[in-house]
Amino acid sequence: MIGNTRTEKDFARFLRRLLRDGALNTRWDIVCDNLNIHLSESVVRLVARHRGFKGKLGVKGKSGPLASKITREAFLRQPGHRITFHFTPKHASWLNQVEIWFSILVRKLLRRGNFATKKDLRTSIERFIAYFNATMAKPFRWTYAGKPLTV
C-alpha cells in the first residue's frame, strides 16, 4: 500500500483491507517492527474484532489490554490466535529482510529518480517490483555465523 502518510489510521486501514480479503479461517502471522503505530489502540481494537474477542479491552492508558504499549503488544503477540503479531527486536533493522529490499529499491530506482507526480512514483515502483521479481529476486543469503563479538 502506497500512501501519503504513515499514521495509526493508515496502518489500521491497511490491516482492515488485508484481513477483509482473507478467508474467515485464515491464520495470519504478521511481522512488524516496533513502530508505535503497530501497537496502537486502533490496531488492537481491529484485531480483537477480527479475532472475535469477547473480553473487555479496557481503556487506553488505564486498564486492560489497552492500558499501555506493553499490554497492547502482549495482546497482539498472543500465540494460538488466528491473528498473531511478531515484532522484530528493537534496534535490529539488520534482521529485517524488508529493510534490505528497501535499500535495493533506493539504490536502483529512487536515489537518482525524478518523479513528476505521486502517480509517476507509484508506477515506477510497481514497474521496478515486477522487473525485480522477474530478473533479480533470490533468497537473501545470511552470512553472520552467530559468533559472539570479542572486545
Side-chain angles (χ1 to χ4, degrees):
M1 190 168 119
I2 299 171
N4 295 332
T5 58
R6 186 176 63 170
T7 66
E8 175 181 337
K9 285 182 180 180
D10 297 327
F11 187 60
R13 187 178 317 115
F14 164 75
L15 281 178
R16 199 173 302 108
R17 281 187 194 161
L18 180 72
L19 298 172
R20 179 191 65 212
D21 292 342
L24 289 176
N25 62 347
T26 300
R27 169 140 174 81
W28 295 95
D29 285 287
I30 300 172
V31 180
C32 296
D33 62 13
N34 289 282
L35 191 63
N36 285 342
I37 64 170
H38 300 151
L39 301 169
S40 67
E41 176 182 8
S42 57
V43 168
V44 170
R45 289 189 183 283
L46 175 69
V47 169
R49 191 168 45 254
H50 276 273
R51 280 184 183 170
F53 181 73
K54 301 293 184 205
K56 296 203 182 280
L57 290 174
V59 176
K60 185 175 178 181
K62 294 184 180 181
S63 64
L66 293 177
S68 67
K69 277 177 46 178
I70 292 170
T71 57
R72 291 190 296 272
E73 181 178 344
F75 178 84
L76 293 170
R77 280 186 182 268
Q78 289 176 344
H81 285 106
R82 192 173 69 79
I83 304 166
T84 303
F85 279 65
H86 308 274
F87 296 95
T88 58
K90 288 176 176 42
H91 310 295
S93 61
W94 61 274
L95 283 173
N96 192 341
Q97 295 295 293
V98 77
E99 295 286 349
I100 295 170
W101 192 88
F102 280 135
S103 171
I104 293 167
L105 175 69
V106 167
R107 285 182 279 124
K108 302 273 187 194
L109 177 72
L110 301 178
R111 184 169 286 142
R112 290 177 193 81
N114 187 2
F115 312 101
T117 65
K118 283 187 263 184
K119 183 178 180 187
D120 186 27
L121 172 61
R122 175 189 296 256
T123 300
S124 295
I125 290 172
E126 289 170 347
R127 282 187 188 145
F128 177 79
I129 291 169
Y131 172 78
F132 182 90
N133 287 342
T135 63
M136 296 186 287
K138 63 182 190 287
F140 291 110
R141 177 178 254 191
W142 288 77
T143 57
Y144 179 67
K147 297 176 184 171
L149 299 174
T150 56
V151 182

